[in-house]
Amino acid sequence: MPFGAMRHGYTFQAGGGAVTRTPKTMTNNGATFDSGTGNKVFGSHSVSFDGTNDNITTTASSDFALTGDSAFTVEFWFKTSDTLAEVIGQQTINGNDGWSIGIRSSQRVLFVLGDGGGSSISVLVPSTGNYTDNTWTHAAVVCDGVGVAIFVDGSRVYHLGTWGHDGSQGNQFYIGRGHGVSSGTYSDGPYYYNGNMDELRISTSERYDVSTSSYTEPTSAFTNDADTVLLMHFDNNVDDDGG
């Protein structure tokens, strides 16, 4: 697994001209940073959460309003031995708006999407474990606008060819914490993440084909492009590197 690679620039070429976007303003609430061999995937650092009250947040955004009928990809690297945590999401607490990605016992990555109406929450949970504790792992939740898949280290561990589930915005965006589902709403918890994260990217496109069983996991730092709505390298800061 590559460590210490140099991160790429934040502008990109599209249609023959340089394109930029306005970075999100992120707030760090107690998270720290790790450096050195084995403590990050790319760049100089990763971000570390203590599982007690650390988190990173920003104002809720329609950019993060994931739905089952539009393409999206949420991906990041993580390293943990935690068995119950929400890692990232945009939710409405005591409601069923928004989404979250979490980890559960037996090394499972799960994805939850609420549609904002009634008590309809879609919980996608692999039946078996699919990563190793305390080892850097690439996770991606991908939707092509019809189907959805969860990938771990390039292998598809959950797939629905036809999802048919709506989504909604939610009003609290967090990294490092979130609420689980209880009685059809995001009301259980909060569950704080205990572990590290590196290279987080949220995109409005299908980065990896949901119909395939595997892909080659990234070998360099993520870059900003026209489909990127959040890009964080965690190189000793919580900047959205999309300017």
Side-chain angles (χ1 to χ4, degrees), residues 85-99:
E86 299 300 324
V87 181
I88 181 174
Q90 181 164 277
Q91 304 168 309
T92 297
I93 309 307
N94 295 318
N96 61 337
D97 297 348
W99 58 276

Side-chain angles (χ1 to χ4, degrees), residues 43-112:
S44 63
H45 295 75
S46 69
V47 65
S48 177
F49 302 92
D50 68 3
T52 302
N53 53 21
D54 294 350
N55 63 88
I56 299 167
T57 189
T58 189
T59 304
S61 171
S62 59
D63 287 344
F64 307 143
L66 308 185
T67 69
D69 57 2
S70 296
F72 66 78
T73 302
V74 183
E75 59 184 317
F76 53 88
W77 294 83
F78 72 98
K79 182 174 73 169
T80 187
S81 60
D82 208 339
T83 58
L84 176 60
E86 299 300 324
V87 181
I88 181 174
Q90 181 164 277
Q91 304 168 309
T92 297
I93 309 307
N94 295 318
N96 61 337
D97 297 348
W99 58 276
S100 68
I101 299 174
I103 54 174
R104 295 295 185 268
S105 60
S106 303
Q107 294 79 38
R108 293 173 296 162
V109 175
L110 74 159
F111 177 65
V112 183

Side-chain angles (χ1 to χ4, degrees), residues 77-238:
W77 294 83
F78 72 98
K79 182 174 73 169
T80 187
S81 60
D82 208 339
T83 58
L84 176 60
E86 299 300 324
V87 181
I88 181 174
Q90 181 164 277
Q91 304 168 309
T92 297
I93 309 307
N94 295 318
N96 61 337
D97 297 348
W99 58 276
S100 68
I101 299 174
I103 54 174
R104 295 295 185 268
S105 60
S106 303
Q107 294 79 38
R108 293 173 296 162
V109 175
L110 74 159
F111 177 65
V112 183
L113 179 68
D115 69 0
S119 59
S120 181
I121 291 182
S122 178
V123 183
L124 311 183
V125 187
S127 59
T128 60
N130 40 61
Y131 65 87
T132 301
D133 284 350
N134 297 315
T135 300
W136 280 110
T137 301
H138 179 249
V141 177
V142 188
C143 180
D144 65 356
V146 179
V148 63
I150 300 173
F151 294 93
V152 174
D153 274 342
S155 295
R156 193 179 65 190
V157 298
Y158 191 99
H159 178 233
L160 284 176
T162 302
W163 191 9
H165 192 80
D166 295 330
S168 57
Q169 178 166 316
N171 63 13
Q172 299 182 12
F173 181 88
Y174 286 104
I175 304 169
R177 64 156 284 179
H179 282 255
V181 177
S182 178
S183 301
T185 65
Y186 294 118
S187 58
D188 200 12
Y191 299 118
Y192 287 87
Y193 173 59
N194 185 359
N196 288 62
M197 176 186 288
D198 204 359
E199 290 298 311
L200 166 65
R201 181 171 65 176
I202 300 179
S203 308
T204 56
S205 64
E206 178 193 17
R207 297 283 185 184
Y208 313 102
D209 186 353
V210 300
S211 66
T212 190
S213 61
S214 65
Y215 61 83
T216 301
E217 63 189 31
T219 58
S220 61
F222 298 140
T223 57
N224 195 54
D225 62 17
D227 296 325
T228 303
V229 294
L230 183 67
L231 176 63
M232 302 183 73
H233 299 296
F234 300 116
D235 283 343
N236 209 30
N237 60 59
V238 295

